[in-house]
């Protein structure tokens, strides 16, 4: 059962990544997973996120880079989809 659930969740992540960014490569899926988890933690337990940020400042900067990359890829994908609709 656990393996089946893992496969289904991976499929969900793959589809989410594809819809969000227009591509669902393993690298992008990993980045989306980190982005989603960090975003959830920062909203539900901001003190934990703040602690992590201060404990790992270099990793915080790398995560910020990943978040910006996802934002830019999403905006680009949305523009592409809009052009295709027009």
């Amino acid at each position: 059962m656990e393996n089946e659930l893992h496969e289904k969740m991976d499929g969900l992540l793959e589809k989410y990544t594809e819809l969000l960014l227009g591509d669902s490569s393993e690298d992008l899926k990993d980045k989306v997973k980190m982005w989603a988890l960090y975003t959830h933690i920062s909203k539900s337990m901001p003190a934990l996120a703040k602690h992590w940020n201060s404990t790992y400042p270099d990793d915080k900067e790398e995560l910020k880079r990943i978040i910006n990359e996802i934002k830019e890829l999403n905006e680009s994908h949305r523009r592409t989809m809009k052009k295709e609709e027009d």
Side-chain angles (χ1 to χ4, degrees), residues 40-84:
H40 178 74
I41 290 170
S42 68
K43 290 179 181 178
S44 63
M45 295 186 175
L48 177 59
K50 185 176 181 180
H51 172 73
W52 187 87
N53 291 342
S54 64
T55 303
Y56 305 106
D58 293 340
D59 294 318
K60 173 191 169 192
E61 291 304 314
E62 177 65 13
L63 188 57
K64 282 172 58 176
R65 189 192 63 73
I66 289 170
I67 290 168
N68 286 330
E69 178 184 354
I70 289 171
K71 180 181 177 187
E72 290 170 10
L73 288 170
N74 175 253
E75 289 171 354
S76 175
H77 178 59
R78 292 169 88 186
R79 283 191 302 270
T80 300
M81 295 304 293
K82 182 159 176 52
K83 285 181 184 178
E84 289 177 5

